[in-house]
Amino acid sequence: MPSSSYPKGLATRQRLVESMLDLVQLHGYHGTGLNTVLARSGAPKGSLYFHFPEGKTGLGVAAVALAGDHFGELIGKATATATSPAAVVDALIAELKNILEASDYQAGCPVSSVALDAGSENEPLREACSRVYDGWIHAVSGYLSTFGVEEGGAHSLATSIICLVEGSLILSRAHKSTQPMDAAAGTLKTLLAASLAGAGA
C-alpha cells in the first residue's frame, strides 16, 4: 500500500520505511545513511526517532519486513494465477528480471543485502532477515504441499528454491546479465518436476 493511503502519522512512517527499503536495495545497509533516508522521504528528523526510537536498526528491521511483504505478494500472485508450478517459476523469475533490468542491475534483494551487510553484527537485523526467509519458505512449501509433496520434502525443496533465486539475483547483478536467473529457472523446473513426480502429482 502506498504511503499516501495511510493516515498522516502512519504515512510519514511508511515513507521512511519505503525510502529506507529503496536505498538499501541500491546501496546496502551500511551504504545507506539516515540523512539520505530523510531527504528521500521528505520527513522531518524528529519523526524518524518518534517512529523508530532504535534509530537506523529499527528502520532497517521495518524495511526488511516490507521487502518480505513485497516478495510474499509476488509469490501469492504467481501461485494464484499460474496454471502449474513451472508457470509459477516463470512468473516469479520474469518479475525479478524486470526489476533488475529496470534498475540497470542496481536493485538487488534488500533482504540478502542486509543479511550479508549487517546480519553478523546486528542481531535484530539478522532476526528480521530470518523471519522473512522463513515466511517465504513457508509460503512456497504450502504451495508445494497442495500437490501432495510431504511436509519435510516440501520444506527442503522450498528452501532450495529460495536459495537458488537469491543466489541467481546476486550473480545477475555481478554479471549485469539475467542469464544466471534463466539458469536457476531451468534448475528449479527440473527439481519441481522430479519432486512432483515422486509425489504422484
Side-chain angles (χ1 to χ4, degrees):
M1 183 184 297
S3 57
S4 58
S5 302
Y6 290 83
K8 184 177 179 181
L10 289 178
T12 299
R13 182 187 189 280
Q14 188 68 10
R15 287 203 312 276
L16 287 165
V17 176
E18 290 171 353
S19 297
M20 181 69 172
L21 176 57
D22 290 343
L23 291 166
V24 166
Q25 196 167 16
L26 293 171
H27 308 298
Y29 180 78
H30 287 315
T32 297
L34 290 181
N35 287 336
T36 309
V37 175
L38 287 168
R40 187 182 184 95
S41 67
K45 189 171 185 178
S47 66
L48 191 155
Y49 289 100
F50 173 79
H51 292 291
F52 301 99
E54 311 90 344
K56 187 177 178 181
T57 291
L59 186 55
V61 167
V64 167
L66 182 60
D69 290 343
H70 285 173
F71 190 63
E73 289 168 5
L74 288 181
I75 295 174
K77 181 180 178 182
T79 55
T81 59
T83 56
S84 68
V88 169
V89 171
D90 286 337
L92 284 175
I93 295 296
E95 186 65 31
L96 294 172
K97 285 167 66 175
N98 286 340
I99 293 170
L100 272 179
E101 291 174 328
S103 69
D104 192 27
Y105 296 91
Q106 298 297 307
C109 173
V111 182
S112 64
S113 293
V114 172
L116 292 169
D117 211 12
S120 63
E121 64 195 42
N122 189 313
E123 188 63 10
L125 288 174
R126 185 201 64 76
E127 290 177 350
C129 293
S130 179
R131 284 193 298 272
V132 167
Y133 284 133
D134 280 345
W136 293 348
I137 290 167
H138 179 76
V140 175
S141 178
Y143 174 70
L144 294 172
S145 68
T146 65
F147 291 90
V149 181
E150 55 89 18
E151 184 177 348
H155 186 272
S156 294
L157 181 56
T159 301
S160 298
I161 288 171
I162 298 302
C163 289
L164 276 167
V165 171
E166 287 284 75
S168 69
L169 273 169
I170 292 170
L171 265 67
S172 288
R173 286 187 77 191
H175 294 307
K176 283 200 167 185
S177 167
T178 57
Q179 190 279 328
M181 300 202 74
D182 291 331
T187 300
L188 287 173
K189 291 179 187 179
T190 300
L191 285 173
L192 285 167
S195 296
L196 296 180

